[in-house]
mmCIF file of all heavy atoms in Angstrom:
data_model
loop_
_atom_site.group_PDB
_atom_site.id
_atom_site.type_symbol
_atom_site.label_atom_id
_atom_site.label_comp_id
_atom_site.label_asym_id
_atom_site.label_seq_id
_atom_site.Cartn_x
_atom_site.Cartn_y
_atom_site.Cartn_z
ATOM 1 N N SER A 227 -3.972 19.720 5.566
ATOM 2 C CA SER A 227 -5.446 19.285 5.383
ATOM 3 C C SER A 227 -5.628 18.515 4.246
ATOM 4 O O SER A 227 -6.501 17.508 4.231
ATOM 5 C CB SER A 227 -6.387 20.489 5.495
ATOM 6 O OG SER A 227 -6.076 21.423 4.497
ATOM 7 N N ALA A 228 -5.031 18.871 3.227
ATOM 8 C CA ALA A 228 -5.201 18.083 1.879
ATOM 9 C C ALA A 228 -4.268 16.900 1.748
ATOM 10 O O ALA A 228 -4.328 16.067 0.787
ATOM 11 C CB ALA A 228 -5.063 18.965 0.747
ATOM 12 N N LYS A 229 -3.363 16.784 2.676
ATOM 13 C CA LYS A 229 -2.171 15.764 2.710
ATOM 14 C C LYS A 229 -1.487 15.840 1.307
ATOM 15 O O LYS A 229 -1.270 14.892 0.570
ATOM 16 C CB LYS A 229 -2.687 14.427 2.966
ATOM 17 C CG LYS A 229 -3.333 14.140 4.328
ATOM 18 C CD LYS A 229 -3.658 12.636 4.507
ATOM 19 C CE LYS A 229 -4.388 12.416 5.894
ATOM 20 N NZ LYS A 229 -5.807 12.800 5.761
ATOM 21 N N HIS A 230 -0.991 17.086 1.066
ATOM 22 C CA HIS A 230 -0.374 17.282 -0.262
ATOM 23 C C HIS A 230 0.817 18.241 -0.153
ATOM 24 O O HIS A 230 0.769 19.124 0.722
ATOM 25 C CB HIS A 230 -1.505 18.002 -1.230
ATOM 26 C CG HIS A 230 -0.826 18.353 -2.445
ATOM 27 N ND1 HIS A 230 -0.777 17.539 -3.624
ATOM 28 C CD2 HIS A 230 -0.423 19.570 -2.900
ATOM 29 C CE1 HIS A 230 -0.305 18.019 -4.598
ATOM 30 N NE2 HIS A 230 0.003 19.388 -4.261
ATOM 31 N N LEU A 231 1.899 17.995 -0.746
ATOM 32 C CA LEU A 231 3.043 18.879 -0.827
ATOM 33 C C LEU A 231 3.526 18.980 -2.218
ATOM 34 O O LEU A 231 3.166 18.051 -3.107
ATOM 35 C CB LEU A 231 4.171 18.464 0.147
ATOM 36 C CG LEU A 231 4.960 17.181 -0.141
ATOM 37 C CD1 LEU A 231 6.395 17.347 0.462
ATOM 38 C CD2 LEU A 231 4.282 16.038 0.529
ATOM 39 N N SER A 232 4.151 20.021 -2.425
ATOM 40 C CA SER A 232 4.595 20.391 -3.847
ATOM 41 C C SER A 232 5.944 21.025 -3.778
ATOM 42 O O SER A 232 6.322 21.701 -2.839
ATOM 43 C CB SER A 232 3.503 21.221 -4.569
ATOM 44 O OG SER A 232 3.407 22.471 -3.988
ATOM 45 N N LEU A 233 6.635 20.840 -4.823
ATOM 46 C CA LEU A 233 8.067 21.329 -4.957
ATOM 47 C C LEU A 233 7.934 22.303 -6.158
ATOM 48 O O LEU A 233 7.479 21.894 -7.214
ATOM 49 C CB LEU A 233 9.092 20.319 -5.227
ATOM 50 C CG LEU A 233 10.413 20.800 -5.472
ATOM 51 C CD1 LEU A 233 11.157 21.535 -4.297
ATOM 52 C CD2 LEU A 233 11.421 19.583 -5.987
ATOM 53 N N HIS A 234 8.312 23.686 -6.017
ATOM 54 C CA HIS A 234 8.377 24.609 -7.040
ATOM 55 C C HIS A 234 9.804 24.855 -7.418
ATOM 56 O O HIS A 234 10.603 25.124 -6.398
ATOM 57 C CB HIS A 234 7.616 25.811 -6.665
ATOM 58 C CG HIS A 234 6.150 25.712 -6.573
ATOM 59 N ND1 HIS A 234 5.275 26.705 -6.793
ATOM 60 C CD2 HIS A 234 5.359 24.525 -6.101
ATOM 61 C CE1 HIS A 234 3.986 26.187 -6.623
ATOM 62 N NE2 HIS A 234 4.016 24.909 -6.265
ATOM 63 N N ILE A 235 10.118 24.832 -8.634
ATOM 64 C CA ILE A 235 11.492 25.181 -9.064
ATOM 65 C C ILE A 235 11.384 26.461 -10.036
ATOM 66 O O ILE A 235 10.682 26.252 -11.081
ATOM 67 C CB ILE A 235 12.235 23.994 -9.808
ATOM 68 C CG1 ILE A 235 12.184 22.740 -8.878
ATOM 69 C CG2 ILE A 235 13.658 24.466 -10.141
ATOM 70 C CD1 ILE A 235 12.696 21.554 -9.596
ATOM 71 N N VAL A 236 11.938 27.535 -9.580
ATOM 72 C CA VAL A 236 11.770 28.699 -10.389
ATOM 73 C C VAL A 236 13.148 29.494 -10.342
ATOM 74 O O VAL A 236 13.517 29.969 -9.339
ATOM 75 C CB VAL A 236 10.699 29.724 -9.943
ATOM 76 C CG1 VAL A 236 10.567 30.856 -10.751
ATOM 77 C CG2 VAL A 236 9.286 29.027 -9.781
ATOM 78 N N PRO A 237 13.634 29.870 -11.567
ATOM 79 C CA PRO A 237 13.307 29.424 -12.923
ATOM 80 C C PRO A 237 14.009 28.089 -13.052
ATOM 81 O O PRO A 237 14.990 27.838 -12.610
ATOM 82 C CB PRO A 237 13.980 30.434 -13.749
ATOM 83 C CG PRO A 237 15.310 30.889 -12.867
ATOM 84 C CD PRO A 237 14.849 30.904 -11.475
ATOM 85 N N SER A 238 13.336 27.331 -13.810
ATOM 86 C CA SER A 238 13.789 25.982 -14.279
ATOM 87 C C SER A 238 14.946 26.030 -15.161
ATOM 88 O O SER A 238 15.266 26.951 -16.007
ATOM 89 C CB SER A 238 12.818 25.045 -14.869
ATOM 90 O OG SER A 238 11.625 24.926 -14.072
ATOM 91 N N GLN A 239 15.987 25.148 -14.866
ATOM 92 C CA GLN A 239 17.314 25.106 -15.661
ATOM 93 C C GLN A 239 17.425 23.698 -16.274
ATOM 94 O O GLN A 239 17.043 22.672 -15.575
ATOM 95 C CB GLN A 239 18.529 25.616 -14.810
ATOM 96 C CG GLN A 239 18.388 27.009 -14.263
ATOM 97 C CD GLN A 239 19.521 27.234 -13.246
ATOM 98 O OE1 GLN A 239 20.259 26.339 -12.834
ATOM 99 N NE2 GLN A 239 19.620 28.469 -12.777
ATOM 100 N N PRO A 240 18.097 23.625 -17.310
ATOM 101 C CA PRO A 240 18.326 22.319 -18.051
ATOM 102 C C PRO A 240 19.027 21.334 -16.923
ATOM 103 O O PRO A 240 18.760 20.014 -16.920
ATOM 104 C CB PRO A 240 19.335 22.531 -19.189
ATOM 105 C CG PRO A 240 18.875 23.911 -19.487
ATOM 106 C CD PRO A 240 18.580 24.726 -18.314
ATOM 107 N N GLY A 241 19.867 21.775 -16.030
ATOM 108 C CA GLY A 241 20.595 20.992 -15.085
ATOM 109 C C GLY A 241 19.611 20.389 -14.110
ATOM 110 O O GLY A 241 19.963 19.499 -13.335
#
Side-chain angles (χ1 to χ4, degrees):
Chain A
S227 60
K229 297 192 185 71
H230 177 84
L231 67 157
S232 60
L233 175 68
H234 292 210
I235 307 173
V236 182
S238 301
Q239 299 174 354

